[in-house]
């Protein structure tokens, strides 16, 4: 943009802000004076918002592309035009003091005429807000460095015109037997696109598939032979990337393109013949994380590898899968049964064994060979290992066989293989092979034996190379791999042990009395490698270490150093568990960490304060009764008392206490702790720290929820002002800004603009985190709520149902609860009370299960269900629920709390509906408290019950109070007063009341006939507080 154009746009913005601010001030002043028509209500909130956005994005205009600059200028021009029209309409319809009745009538008529025009202006301002926020995101993103585009790498040398061949293994020229499995694969491919080969580790699945691939190539020289490793997501992605590169699929070198989707789409649509091999698809959690994912899994649940296999629509496509897990095989092969690969036959095993020897084998004694092979259960891995050991060490077959039956042989028979097709002795014979290998390694290279000892103390799969901080690691790994005791995943820098190898090493260390030493060493490795600051950037590392943490925290430790390492690791892992929604596991780990610190460190140690805060926090999250909440509050207060000020521990303890006190409806304590939290961060890190701003948002929300909307809005405006100077990332600044603006307009009653802002938050957070992240769910719920508040009930219901479908596999029950509540409220507003009841019951069940019966939220859910019963004329069922709610609230909230009074009134209505007017009267009188402060509706309901009992004198007293306090809206109560006077013979006074009623409402000339029903009090406006327990926007 040239300077002249830039100066023109900047001037236009400054002029618009000045002019728009004046118009907005006029609208505000007229609104406060009550001199502005209702049709300007939306303008009152939208105009200041768009002025604020344009003012704060002035500096960002220079970062916009020419196309975006043009769009930005057009928005400013349109906004200026709309504000000018608004100013013109204001002058026409505003009534000044002293104007005549005729003038007022004329302006009232103009208001009606201009209503459609004002609505169009309000809608235009809403559209401009949305466009400006999107342009603002683009401007912020513009500041980031562009992604580097790498030139295409040269195609691999094994690519040829006949067909790409990506099999990374040479052919075994000594391949033995396996004719039946090879024939089965070929036969199955005649009727299906996918074939799976399953079997125990070491049975030779990969070798069979490699041989089939070479035979397939000989029969189909023009077909592509493609190979990917299915054992983890990183290697799967790497394999697909190489396929895309080798086949030169358009877009393969575009960093913004999804390689998995790109290759999957190509494989599903190409007419070219190919064989795709997916080797070692062993972990079912990688393929269907939503159904099978557990606490120890390593991968993001959003990565579902099964989605990226070709669908079989191409008749020339073939997908061949190997796996140890028969469940994976069955599901990936779909309708077809997998091929279960069995151990070799006796003759095949013999041929394999003899083929491994370079010397003359004619002198080998056949019975000895067969006896050894029987001991090895004909497993190809065990057979190959035995042959290698015999050849390398120059011992005889008989000596090897004798060693398998030596004094220590029983040590290897205490572990069963995960296959019920084999008996205990034959299965466990493989241990004997590994015992000899391990002894040989210990003699040849002790460092390698040490490394194997360390590996055996970790989880056996996906051991990161970064954990192996020992001397001579590279050469030690080479030795271990040469004996096939450790395998590597090429390119991923991770290693794994066979389950039986791990168990064998653990037995050996136990026998040598060195197991404790290696447990301590493994714990130190993981503890040193685990992130101490946990945020989105650290999640992959934490996820990779999660299974090792699970294993190590199950061991017993005796030294002070090891126990302190354990306490730190438990604390950090519990923090990560919270991010994953695994609160029960986090609570157990936090409790263990706290117990160790209490035993080993002084009372004023910050480590103890941190562990106390974490344990109190998790006790709060898992509280299922009032007693649990009290215990959690006591723990958090203890953390607060032993924390230094200012400190991280003090700020976070105050933050959790603020939320806890909110749940207990303790306004004073909640606001005190909320303020203390953000002020502590302010002292600790400064006014514009991301943590300060994040805690200030929570404090603003607490203020607004307790009825201090203006103070809350002021805090949100302060956050917006501070954001540009914040130390937060640009994306986090945008989140803070949108979130604050959403809070402002939501509590100003503009659900339409709040809807736009929450939609933008959803889109941004889906990119920052993941579609299943709890932040995204939170904003989706808020978005649905704003749509509901605009009366678009079907749409809000559909959105909430979509959230439920998306969170089926999350452990965060509050997401489901909030969705149920929104759906139930939509059905209530549409008077579909039978459907509402279903979701109220689901909500109550979730609260009882997760919070217990003695919890405020559980009783709130009971009251909502009771309201539904009352609306369905099921007053007997409603009455029992109201009684329980009242009893609890009297104790916890007090007799005069607004929620207690409402439940009392509803109980009185239940009695009235059943004809028990005396009991209804008692309930109403108990709810009244101070008559001068009582709600008009409650007094009216009391009058109806008194009238039904013919208590004329009492009725006269109460109905006069109602009429004196509000003589414009309670005509039904006027009739109660008239009737009470007539029944007492006070006809003159009755006529006077009739006359006054006629003046107030000329249409209300006939007395109501029959019994008048009580009016159900309105449902409290239950805004979601965002109390779903979720990780911070910043990394704590």
């Amino acid at each position: 943009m040239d300077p002249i154009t830039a100066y023109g746009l900047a001037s236009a913005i400054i002029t618009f802000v000045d002019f728009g601010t004046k118009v907005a001030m006029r609208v505000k002043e007229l609104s406060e004076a009550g001199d502005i028509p209702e049709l300007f209500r939306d303008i009152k909130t939208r105009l200041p918002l768009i002025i604020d956005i344009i003012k704060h994005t002035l500096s960002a205009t220079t970062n916009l592309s020419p196309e975006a600059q043009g769009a930005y200028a057009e928005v400013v021009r349109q906004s200026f035009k709309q504000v000018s029209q608004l100013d013109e309409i204001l002058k026409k319809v505003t009534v000044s003091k002293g104007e005549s009745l005729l003038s007022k009538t004329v302006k009232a008529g103009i208001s009606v005429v201009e209503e459609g025009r004002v609505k169009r202006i309000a809608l235009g301002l809403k559209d401009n807000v949305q466009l400006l926020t999107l342009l603002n995101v683009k401007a912020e993103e513009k500041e980031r460095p562009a992604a580097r585009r790498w030139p295409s790498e040269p195609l691999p040398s094994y690519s040829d015109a006949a067909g790409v061949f990506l099999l990374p293994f040479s052919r075994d020229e000594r391949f033995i037997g396996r004719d039946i499995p090879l024939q089965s694969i070929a036969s199955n491919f005649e009727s299906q696109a996918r074939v799976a080969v399953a079997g125990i580790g070491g049975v030779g699945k990969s070798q069979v598939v490699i041989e089939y691939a070479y035979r397939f190539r000989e029969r189909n020289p023009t077909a592509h032979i493609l190979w990917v490793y299915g054992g983890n997501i990183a290697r799967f992605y790497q394999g697909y990337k190489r396929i895309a590169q080798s086949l030169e699929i358009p877009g393969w070198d575009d960093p913004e393109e999804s390689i998995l989707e790109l290759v999957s789409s190509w494989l599903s649509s190409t007419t070219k013949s190919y064989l795709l091999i997916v080797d070692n698809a062993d972990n079912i959690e990688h393929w269907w994380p939503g159904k099978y994912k557990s606490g120890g899994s390593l991968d993001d649940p959003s990565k579902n590898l099964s989605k990226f296999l070709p669908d079989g629509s191409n008749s020339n496509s073939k997908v061949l899968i190997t796996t140890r897990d028969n469940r994976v095989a069955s599901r990936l092969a779909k309708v077809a049964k997998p091929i279960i690969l069995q151990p070799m036959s006796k003759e095949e095993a013999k041929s394999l064994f003899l083929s491994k020897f370079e010397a003359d084998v004619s002198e080998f004694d056949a019975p000895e060979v067969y006896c050894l092979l029987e001991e090895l259960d004909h497993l190809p891995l065990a057979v190959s290992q035995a042959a290698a050991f015999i050849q390398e060490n120059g011992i005889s077959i008989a000596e090897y066989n004798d060693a398998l039956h030596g004094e220590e042989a029983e040590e290897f028979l205490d572990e069963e293989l995960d296959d019920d097709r084999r008996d205990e002795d034959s299965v466990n014979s493989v241990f004997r092979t590994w015992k000899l290998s391990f002894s040989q390694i210990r003699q040849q290279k002790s460092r390698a034996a040490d490394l194997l000892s360390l590996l055996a103390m970790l989880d056996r799969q996906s051991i990161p190379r970064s954990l192996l901080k020992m001397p001579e690691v590279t050469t030690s790994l080479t030795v271990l791999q040469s004996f096939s005791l450790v395998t590597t995943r090429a390119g991923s820098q991770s290693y794994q042990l066979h389950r039986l190898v791990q168990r064998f090493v653990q037995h050996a260390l136990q026998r040598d009395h060195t197991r404790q030493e290696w447990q301590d060493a493994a714990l130190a490795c993981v503890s040193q490698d685990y992130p101490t600051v946990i945020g989105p950037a650290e999640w992959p590392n934490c996820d990779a270490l999660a299974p090792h943490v699970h294993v190590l925290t199950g061991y017993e430790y005796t030294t002070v150093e090891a126990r302190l390492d354990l306490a730190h690791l438990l604390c950090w892992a519990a923090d990560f568990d919270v991010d994953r929604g695994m609160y029960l596991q986090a609570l157990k780990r936090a409790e263990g960490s706290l117990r160790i610190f209490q035993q080993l460190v002084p009372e004023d140690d910050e480590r103890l304060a941190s562990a106390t805060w974490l344990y109190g926090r998790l006790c709060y999250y898992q509280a299922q009764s009032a007693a649990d909440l009290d215990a959690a509050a006591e723990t958090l207060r203890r953390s607060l008392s032993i924390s230094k000020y200012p400190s991280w521990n003090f700020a976070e303890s105050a933050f959790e206490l603020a939320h806890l006190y909110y749940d207990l409806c303790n306004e004073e304590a909640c606001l005190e702790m909320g303020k203390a939290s953000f002020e502590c961060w302010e002292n600790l890190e400064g006014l514009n720290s991301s943590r300060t701003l994040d805690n200030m948002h929570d404090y603003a929300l607490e203020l607004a929820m307790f009825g201090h909307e203006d103070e809350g809005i002021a805090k949100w405006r302060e956050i917006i002002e501070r954001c540009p100077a914040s130390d937060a990332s640009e994306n986090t600044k945008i989140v803070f800004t949108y979130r604050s603006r959403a809070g402002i307009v939501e509590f100003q009653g503009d659900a339409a603009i709040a809807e736009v802002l929450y939609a933008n938050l959803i889109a941004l957070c889906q990119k920052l985190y993941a579609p299943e992240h709890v932040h995204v769910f939170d904003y989706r719920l808020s978005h649905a709520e704003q749509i509901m508040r605009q009366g678009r009930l079907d749409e809000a219901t559909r959105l909430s149902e979509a959230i439920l479908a998306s969170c089926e596999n999350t452990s965060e029950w509050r997401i489901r609860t909030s969705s149920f509540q929104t759906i139930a409220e939509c059905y209530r507003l549409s008077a579909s009370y039978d459907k509402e009841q279903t979701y109220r019951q689901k909500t109550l069940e979730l609260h009882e299960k997760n919070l217990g019966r003695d919890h405020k939220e559980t009783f709130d859910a009971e009251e909502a269900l009771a309201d539904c019963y009352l609306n369905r004329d099921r007053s007997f069922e409603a009455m029992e629920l109201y009684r329980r709610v009242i009893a609890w609230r009297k104790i916890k909230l007090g007799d005069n709390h607004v929620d207690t009074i409402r439940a009392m009134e509803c109980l009185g209505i239940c009695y009235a509906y059943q004809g028990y007017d005396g009991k209804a009267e008692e309930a109403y009188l108990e709810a009244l408290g101070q008559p001068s402060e009582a709600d008009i509706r409650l007094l009216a309901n009391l009058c109806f019950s008194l009238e039904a009992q013919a208590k004329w004198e009492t009725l006269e007293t109460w109905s006069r109070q109602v009429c004196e306090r509000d003589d414009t809206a309670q005509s039904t109560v006027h009739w109660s007063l008239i009737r009470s006077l007539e029944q007492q013979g006070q006809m003159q006074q009755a006529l006077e009341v009739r006359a006054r009623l006629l003046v107030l409402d000329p249409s209300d000339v006939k007395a109501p006939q029959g019994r008048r029903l009580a009016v159900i009090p309105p449902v409290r406006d239950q805004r979601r507080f965002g109390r779903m327990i979720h990780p911070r926007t910043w990394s704590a």
Side-chain angles (χ1 to χ4, degrees):
M1 174 182 271
D2 61 273
I4 297 176
T5 307
Y7 179 75
L9 177 56
S11 296
I13 291 174
I14 294 170
T15 304
F16 168 77
V17 170
D18 182 63
F19 177 57
T21 301
K22 293 177 181 177
V23 175
M25 288 297 295
R26 286 185 60 201
V27 173
K28 180 180 179 183
E29 291 169 359
L30 293 170
S31 176
E32 291 175 350
D35 296 331
I36 191 170
E38 179 65 16
L39 57 94
F40 283 87
R41 181 178 59 82
D42 288 338
I43 299 293
K44 174 186 170 184
T45 56
R46 293 180 187 177
L47 181 55
L49 181 62
I50 196 168
I51 293 170
D52 185 60
I53 294 175
I54 291 176
K55 180 171 66 175
H56 285 93
T57 54
L58 174 59
S59 61
T61 57
T62 56
N63 296 321
L64 296 173
S65 65
E67 295 83 359
Q69 289 169 2
Y72 198 101
E74 181 60 28
V75 171
V76 174
R77 281 194 291 270
Q78 288 296 325
S79 299
F80 198 98
K81 179 180 178 181
Q82 291 157 353
V83 174
S84 299
Q85 293 173 350
L86 189 62
D87 182 58
E88 177 187 339
I89 296 172
L90 273 174
K91 293 175 181 177
K92 290 181 181 180
V93 303
T94 303
V95 177
S96 303
K97 292 183 178 180
E99 284 196 44
S100 65
L101 179 61
L102 176 60
S103 176
K104 293 179 179 178
T105 304
V106 171
K107 291 191 174 183
I110 295 175
S111 296
V112 175
V113 173
E114 296 287 0
E115 182 175 358
R117 190 179 175 194
V118 174
K119 286 183 178 179
R120 288 193 295 273
I121 292 173
L123 185 60
L125 288 174
K126 174 185 174 182
D127 294 338
N128 289 344
V129 168
Q130 186 168 12
L131 181 56
L132 282 172
T133 53
L134 291 174
L135 287 172
N136 187 29
V137 173
K138 297 298 182 184
E140 300 289 1
E141 292 176 346
K142 183 81 173 176
E143 295 175 4
R144 304 181 206 153
R148 182 177 179 186
R149 293 179 59 86
W150 295 92
S152 300
E153 300 176 15
L155 293 177
S157 58
Y158 45 75
S159 169
D160 57 50
V164 171
F165 187 76
L166 295 183
L167 195 63
F169 309 105
S170 60
R171 191 171 189 175
D172 184 0
E173 299 300 331
R174 298 180 179 181
F175 185 80
I176 303 297
R178 298 300 201 179
D179 292 331
I180 294 177
L182 289 167
Q183 291 172 7
S184 297
I185 294 173
S187 174
N188 287 5
F189 270 138
E190 292 176 2
S191 59
Q192 62 200 59
R194 293 185 185 180
V195 173
V197 179
I200 186 177
V203 79
K205 301 180 293 297
S206 297
Q207 299 306 313
V208 169
V209 167
I210 291 169
E211 177 63 21
Y212 177 82
Y214 278 96
R215 295 186 185 186
F216 181 86
R217 188 190 190 195
E218 292 172 351
R219 296 192 303 269
N220 304 275
T222 62
H224 297 313
I225 310 296
L226 312 174
W227 182 90
V228 294
Y229 184 83
N232 64 42
I233 290 175
R235 288 287 310 283
F236 188 90
Y237 176 89
Q238 183 186 54
Y240 263 42
K241 187 172 183 179
R242 177 160 286 277
I243 290 173
Q245 174 187 354
S246 301
L247 296 176
E248 297 184 291
I249 299 174
W252 74 267
D253 57 349
D254 185 348
E256 297 182 2
E257 189 72 60
S258 169
I259 289 295
L260 296 180
E261 294 180 358
L262 181 71
V263 174
S264 175
S265 176
W266 187 91
L267 292 174
S268 298
S269 60
T270 184
T271 58
K272 178 74 173 179
S273 177
Y274 67 83
L275 170 66
L276 171 64
I277 297 172
V278 182
D279 198 20
N280 288 300
D282 297 327
N283 193 334
I284 198 167
E285 295 173 356
H286 294 166
W287 296 91
W288 299 278
K291 182 173 182 180
Y292 293 101
K293 192 169 181 65
S294 65
S297 181
L298 302 179
D299 299 301
D300 188 336
S302 66
K303 301 295 194 304
N304 184 338
L305 295 186
S306 65
K307 299 188 303 184
F308 301 112
L309 289 184
D311 54 18
S313 57
N314 174 13
S315 59
N316 296 318
S317 69
K318 292 177 173 57
V319 181
L320 184 55
I321 303 148
T322 71
T323 177
R324 296 177 183 177
D325 193 331
N326 193 33
R327 297 173 300 171
V328 176
S330 299
R331 292 195 63 179
L332 288 182
K334 296 187 175 180
V335 296
K337 289 185 177 181
I339 297 170
I340 306 299
L341 192 60
Q342 303 292 346
M344 285 181 156
S345 68
K346 182 167 67 173
E347 294 303 322
E348 286 177 334
K350 176 186 175 184
S351 298
L352 175 64
F353 178 77
L354 297 178
S355 71
K356 300 298 179 181
F357 291 89
E358 298 175 356
D360 183 11
V361 295
S362 60
E363 296 182 359
F364 281 8
D365 182 70
E368 287 184 349
V369 172
Y370 285 127
C371 181
L372 173 61
L373 297 177
E374 285 292 332
E375 288 294 324
L376 299 176
D377 198 26
H378 304 144
L379 282 172
L381 172 62
V383 170
S384 298
Q385 285 180 323
F389 188 92
I390 291 170
Q391 184 169 237
E392 290 176 7
N393 292 277
I395 64 174
S396 67
I397 296 175
E399 289 174 324
Y400 187 95
N401 210 352
D402 290 339
L404 289 178
H405 294 85
E407 295 179 355
E408 298 177 350
E410 292 295 324
E411 178 180 339
F412 306 104
L413 300 177
D414 59 359
E415 174 72 20
E416 296 184 33
L417 290 174
D418 296 331
D419 192 332
D420 57 10
R421 298 186 302 274
R422 298 170 176 81
D423 59 57
E424 183 177 356
D425 288 340
S426 62
V427 167
N428 284 314
S429 60
V430 73
F431 275 87
R432 303 167 189 175
T433 299
W434 289 328
K435 175 184 181 296
L436 298 175
S437 298
F438 186 57
S439 299
Q440 185 67 23
I441 290 171
R442 192 184 293 277
Q443 294 175 9
Q444 291 181 356
K445 190 173 183 63
S446 61
R447 295 286 193 190
D450 290 346
L451 180 59
L452 186 60
S453 301
L454 178 69
L455 295 175
M457 292 299 104
L458 300 167
D459 184 83
R460 66 183 186 84
Q461 291 183 313
S462 296
I463 302 170
R465 178 67 170 77
S466 61
L467 286 180
L468 309 181
K469 298 179 175 64
M470 296 180 64
E472 304 177 27
V473 169
T474 302
T475 54
S476 296
L477 284 170
T478 300
V479 172
L480 295 177
Q481 289 173 271
S482 69
F483 280 87
S484 300
L485 294 176
V486 172
T487 59
T488 181
R489 299 182 173 187
S492 68
Q493 288 295 297
S494 65
Y495 303 87
Q496 65 179 6
L497 284 78
H498 193 284
R499 180 183 293 104
L500 301 181
V501 172
Q502 180 188 45
R503 186 53 59 111
F504 155 70
V505 175
Q506 290 178 349
H507 280 310
L509 297 177
Q510 187 72 36
R511 180 196 60 211
D512 295 341
H513 307 290
T514 58
R515 175 167 177 153
Q516 187 68 57
E517 172 189 341
W518 289 110
Q519 284 180 184
D520 292 358
L523 175 65
C525 286
V526 175
S527 181
Q528 292 168 13
D529 205 53
Y530 205 91
T532 58
V533 176
I534 299 174
E538 290 74 34
W539 289 346
N541 193 14
C542 294
D543 220 12
L545 293 174
H548 307 294
V549 172
H550 177 74
V551 169
L552 291 170
T553 54
Y555 297 148
E556 294 290 333
Y557 300 92
T558 56
T559 67
V560 172
E561 182 180 2
R563 294 185 67 204
L564 286 175
D565 280 343
L566 176 62
H568 285 110
L569 185 58
L570 285 169
C571 199
W572 299 326
D575 207 11
F576 180 55
D577 287 336
V578 174
D579 286 3
R580 296 188 295 174
M582 302 174 63
Y583 301 122
L584 286 176
Q585 178 169 288
L587 179 62
K588 292 177 181 177
R589 286 175 169 173
E591 184 179 15
S593 176
L594 177 60
R595 189 183 306 113
I596 294 171
F597 281 129
Q598 286 174 332
Q599 295 170 357
L600 300 180
V601 302
E603 179 70 22
D604 59 350
D605 194 299
E606 281 294 298
R607 291 174 295 180
L608 178 59
S610 181
T612 305
W613 158 76
L614 181 60
Y615 180 62
R617 175 194 188 196
L618 292 166
C619 285
Y620 166 39
Y621 293 175
Q622 294 299 309
Q624 297 188 6
S625 66
D628 290 346
L629 281 175
D630 291 340
E634 177 59 31
T635 303
L636 289 169
R637 284 193 293 267
R638 185 164 62 254
S639 171
L640 201 67
S641 67
I642 63 178
S643 299
K644 297 176 182 177
Y645 186 90
S647 68
W648 186 96
N649 292 321
F650 185 96
E652 286 302 284
S653 297
F655 170 82
E656 297 298 345
L657 278 170
H659 279 213
L660 190 152
Y661 287 135
Y662 176 86
D663 286 351
L664 296 175
C665 299
N666 189 335
E667 176 181 348
E668 182 180 357
C670 171
L671 297 182
E672 178 188 357
M673 289 294 99
K675 185 178 182 181
S677 177
F678 91 80
E679 286 182 343
C680 181
W681 283 120
E682 204 169 54
N683 285 309
L684 195 63
E685 297 188 348
L687 294 172
N688 301 321
S689 159
S690 60
R691 294 179 172 93
T692 302
L693 298 182
D694 200 32
N695 278 261
M696 187 184 292
H697 167 78
D698 283 281
Y699 180 54
L701 191 55
E702 289 154 5
L703 285 168
M705 291 299 295
F706 277 118
H708 308 288
E709 291 91 346
D710 292 341
E711 294 177 59
I713 288 172
K715 287 296 178 187
W716 277 317
R717 292 193 185 282
E718 188 177 348
I719 292 171
I720 295 171
E721 292 289 339
R722 291 187 184 185
C723 261
S726 171
D727 61 358
S729 68
E730 292 304 317
N731 281 324
T732 302
K733 290 178 184 178
I734 296 172
V735 171
F736 284 172
T737 302
Y738 282 6
R739 193 174 62 177
S740 298
R741 286 175 178 154
I744 292 170
V745 296
E746 182 176 350
F747 280 91
Q748 288 178 338
D750 194 340
I753 292 295
E755 173 195 345
V756 171
L757 292 167
Y758 280 122
N760 289 331
L761 278 168
I762 293 167
L764 179 59
C765 289
Q766 282 178 333
K767 296 177 181 177
L768 291 179
Y769 307 112
E772 294 82 8
H773 193 273
V774 73
H775 280 318
V776 178
F777 281 126
D778 198 7
Y779 296 134
R780 286 176 67 184
L781 287 164
S782 296
H783 180 245
E785 181 182 334
Q786 302 314 309
I787 291 173
M788 178 189 72
R789 290 180 182 278
Q790 297 175 69
R792 289 146 53 197
L793 303 180
D794 290 342
E795 183 180 351
T797 300
R798 287 195 301 271
L799 289 173
S800 300
E801 289 172 342
I803 295 170
L804 283 172
S806 302
C807 71
E808 280 184 354
N809 302 300
T810 180
S811 61
E812 183 46 83
W813 65 273
R814 289 185 182 272
I815 298 173
R816 297 193 296 278
T817 302
S818 295
S819 300
F820 288 153
Q821 288 172 329
T822 302
I823 295 172
E825 187 65 9
C826 288
Y827 284 133
R828 185 191 69 80
L829 292 172
S830 61
S832 300
Y833 300 125
D834 54 338
K835 295 180 180 178
E836 178 198 0
Q837 179 184 329
T838 300
Y839 287 93
R840 296 294 186 198
Q841 289 171 330
K842 289 182 178 182
T843 302
L844 179 57
E845 288 170 3
L846 275 177
H847 278 102
E848 288 179 339
K849 177 181 177 182
N850 293 281
L851 299 178
R853 294 296 303 273
D854 189 27
H855 193 280
K856 176 184 177 297
E857 292 183 37
T858 304
F859 283 103
D860 288 345
E862 279 198 353
E863 182 184 42
L865 178 59
D867 288 347
C868 180
Y869 284 147
L870 198 53
N871 285 321
R872 296 194 68 190
D873 293 328
R874 296 168 61 175
S875 56
F876 282 101
E877 294 164 277
M879 185 168 59
E880 293 304 315
L881 292 176
Y882 285 131
R883 283 171 174 164
R884 286 207 299 267
V885 171
I886 292 168
W888 186 88
R889 286 180 177 170
K890 281 184 175 182
I891 296 171
K892 299 297 182 180
L893 306 181
D895 292 353
N896 296 324
H897 192 279
V898 63
D899 292 347
T900 309
I901 292 172
R902 184 189 183 278
M904 289 178 182
E905 183 181 3
C906 289
L907 179 61
I909 293 172
C910 290
Y911 285 131
Y913 280 10
Q914 296 169 34
Y916 301 127
D917 292 290
K919 291 185 177 181
E921 177 189 353
E922 292 175 5
Y924 294 144
L925 289 172
E926 186 179 8
L928 278 173
Q930 300 297 325
S932 61
E933 300 174 359
D935 190 282
I936 294 294
R937 181 203 60 260
L938 174 55
L939 292 169
N941 285 338
L942 172 61
C943 290
F944 298 157
S945 288
L946 292 172
E947 184 175 342
Q949 297 176 80
K951 293 185 175 181
W952 307 117
E953 292 183 11
T954 308
L955 175 60
E956 177 188 353
T957 301
W958 285 106
S959 57
R960 282 189 184 279
Q961 287 192 33
V962 176
C963 295
E964 289 171 0
R965 287 178 55 187
D966 187 351
D967 60 359
T968 59
Q970 294 294 331
S971 60
T972 53
V973 180
H974 280 87
W975 283 112
S976 294
L977 177 56
I978 292 169
R979 186 164 298 173
S980 69
L981 292 171
E982 289 176 345
Q983 292 295 326
Q984 297 177 75
Q986 302 176 34
M987 297 303 183
Q988 182 62 35
Q989 292 186 41
L991 288 173
E992 291 175 359
V993 176
R994 279 178 179 267
R996 186 164 67 249
L997 180 59
L998 187 60
V999 172
L1000 293 173
D1001 188 358
S1003 64
D1004 196 3
V1005 296
K1006 293 183 64 178
Q1009 301 297 316
R1011 179 187 177 89
R1012 281 176 288 174
L1013 295 177
V1015 180
I1016 300 175
V1019 175
R1020 291 177 302 133
D1021 186 15
Q1022 292 275 18
R1023 293 179 185 274
R1024 288 192 331 102
F1025 180 35
R1027 276 298 299 117
M1028 290 195 309
I1029 309 303
H1030 56 72
R1032 298 293 211 153
T1033 304
W1034 48 267
S1035 170

